[in-house]
Amino acid sequence: MNTMSKTVRDLLKEKLDQLQCHFTWGPQKETLDLDDMVYRLKDAIIFANKYQAASYNQLAFVNCLQGNSEEAIQNLKEAEKILRENHKDAFERNSIITYGNYAWVHYHMGQLDKAQSYLDKLEMICKPLTDGPRYTAMIPEVYGEKGWSLLRSAALYYEEAVECFEKALEEDPNNTEWIMGKATVLFRLEGFSGTPESHERNQSVKYLRRVLELDPDD
C-alpha cells in the first residue's frame, strides 16, 4: 500500500512540475525573504486594487512555503473570486496560475485527489489554447502574471521579468498592467546601472508615458 501511495504521489508530482505557477518559477524559499514578502503583498492587496488577484496568488505561495496551507487556500479563494468578478468573459484564461497554485497547495497538504481535480480543470482549460503541455498554456495572461511575480520577488529575477512582460506584450501590446510592469522593472534595473541617463531610463519613461496615454487614471 505504501509503495502504491508513493507511486501515485510521484506521478502526480511529475504532472505538477509541468505547471506554470509560483511553485515552478525561479523564486523559491532559499532566494526569498518570506516575512518581507508577506508584508509587501498584504500592502499591495490594500493599495493596488488592479493587481489584487495576482497578489493573493503570490501570497498563497508564500504562505504555503511557511507551512500555512489553510491560509494559502483562503488566499486562492480570494484570487479566484476577484478573477471571476473582473474577467467574466475570460475567467478560464486568467485562472491558469490560480488553479496551478491550488493543485500544488493541495499536494503539499497530502490531498492528492483534490490536486488531481485541479489538474483535470487545467487540462480542459488549456486544451483549446495550446498544442503544447497538457496542463498549461503560455498565453499573455500567464507571461504577464509571471512577470509581476518575478518583479516582486528579488532583483535576481528582474531580467527574466522583462522577458516575460515582452512576451505578454507581443500579443497584447496595449495592456496597461504589463506595460506598467515593464516600465517598473526597467526603472529598477536602471537604478542598478548607476547611470541616470541610461538607455534603460529612457525606456522606462517611454513605457510610463504609454500607460498614461492608454489609461490617464492609472
Side-chain angles (χ1 to χ4, degrees):
M1 184 65 180
N2 288 339
T3 303
M4 178 61 74
S5 298
K6 185 175 185 296
T7 301
V8 170
R9 187 177 178 88
D10 289 347
L11 290 173
L12 182 61
K13 175 68 162 50
E14 289 177 8
K15 297 176 185 177
L16 293 172
D17 285 335
Q18 299 175 37
L19 301 182
Q20 283 289 332
C21 65
H22 295 86
F23 290 85
T24 61
W25 295 336
Q28 296 297 322
K29 193 170 186 176
E30 298 76 20
T31 57
L32 297 175
D33 182 338
L34 297 181
D35 290 335
D36 179 63
M37 285 286 294
V38 169
Y39 176 81
R40 288 189 291 113
L41 288 167
K42 287 183 176 179
D43 209 41
I45 287 167
I46 295 170
F47 296 108
N49 289 344
K50 182 177 281 191
Y51 310 106
Q52 273 189 332
S55 296
Y56 272 119
N57 267 335
Q58 194 164 11
L59 184 57
F61 166 65
V62 175
N63 271 320
C64 188
L65 290 184
Q66 292 184 312
N68 304 322
S69 295
E70 292 291 349
E71 193 168 344
I73 293 294
Q74 292 306 311
N75 297 149
L76 293 172
K77 287 180 178 179
E78 289 293 333
E80 184 176 2
K81 177 184 174 184
I82 293 166
L83 290 172
R84 288 187 183 278
E85 291 171 352
N86 295 348
H87 301 282
K88 291 183 176 68
D89 298 326
F91 167 73
E92 290 188 339
R93 292 177 63 91
N94 285 275
S95 68
I96 290 173
I97 293 166
T98 305
Y99 282 176
N101 282 351
Y102 264 126
W104 269 100
V105 174
H106 284 301
Y107 170 80
H108 284 298
M109 296 173 76
Q111 299 171 348
L112 305 189
D113 288 344
K114 286 187 177 180
Q116 181 61 53
S117 73
Y118 279 99
L119 286 173
D120 295 340
K121 289 181 182 182
L122 284 167
E123 185 171 14
M124 290 182 65
I125 291 169
C126 296
K127 189 173 183 179
L129 299 176
T130 180
D131 294 327
R134 289 173 62 185
Y135 303 109
T136 195
M138 294 312 297
I139 56 176
E141 291 84 352
V142 171
Y143 279 119
E145 185 164 346
K146 183 177 182 180
W148 274 110
S149 174
L150 295 170
L151 173 57
R152 291 195 187 104
S153 297
L156 173 66
Y157 304 106
Y158 286 173
E159 295 284 357
E160 187 179 356
V162 173
E163 295 174 8
C164 288
F165 288 126
E166 288 175 346
K167 287 284 189 182
L169 289 165
E170 282 177 10
E171 291 190 44
D172 191 356
N174 293 328
N175 187 299
T176 57
E177 290 185 33
W178 304 333
I179 299 171
M180 178 61 81
K182 186 172 180 180
T184 304
V185 72
L186 287 174
F187 184 81
R188 292 187 185 179
L189 285 169
E190 182 277 332
F192 294 136
S193 74
T195 53
E197 300 302 322
S198 69
H199 173 71
E200 287 83 357
R201 167 59 65 87
N202 294 333
Q203 289 295 303
S204 66
V205 170
K206 181 181 80 171
Y207 285 106
L208 285 170
R209 286 175 177 158
R210 181 65 175 151
V211 171
L212 291 174
E213 289 172 6
L214 293 168
D215 187 358
D217 298 323
D218 202 320

